[in-house]
Amino acid sequence: MNDHVYKTLELTGSSDQGFQQAIQGAVGKAHETIRNIRWFQVQDTRGHVEDGRIAHWQVTVKVGFRLDDQA
């Protein structure tokens, strides 16, 4: 079994649909350019309120990904 090294990256996703969509947006965008994403951890959740209703979500996540092994 090989040992692996992981790196974390902090991202903030936003959505007017909900916190889950904000997380998926951040992870999905990171997936476009980062290989080997393995996990995420919610760091902070914020929202914008208009007329007593949640109008927008912002969720900051740490995304963990495995660094490629050197041959």
Side-chain angles (χ1 to χ4, degrees):
M1 180 174 156
N2 290 338
D3 293 331
H4 299 292
V5 175
Y6 296 86
K7 182 171 180 69
T8 60
L9 180 64
E10 188 171 281
L11 307 166
T12 300
S14 62
S15 173
D16 59 0
Q17 303 292 308
F19 71 92
Q20 202 166 2
Q21 291 81 357
I23 294 167
Q24 185 59 57
V27 172
K29 188 66 173 174
H31 176 72
E32 292 177 12
T33 57
I34 298 171
R35 294 185 305 275
N36 304 318
I37 294 175
R38 296 293 182 244
W39 54 268
F40 74 91
Q41 178 182 359
V42 174
Q43 296 296 111
D44 189 30
T45 304
R46 293 175 300 284
H48 176 225
V49 177
E50 288 183 10
D51 298 322
R53 300 186 63 124
I54 297 171
H56 205 85
W57 292 85
Q58 286 186 329
V59 182
T60 300
V61 295
K62 279 191 177 178
V63 176
F65 58 98
R66 183 177 49 83
L67 297 177
D68 290 335
D69 295 329
Q70 296 294 323

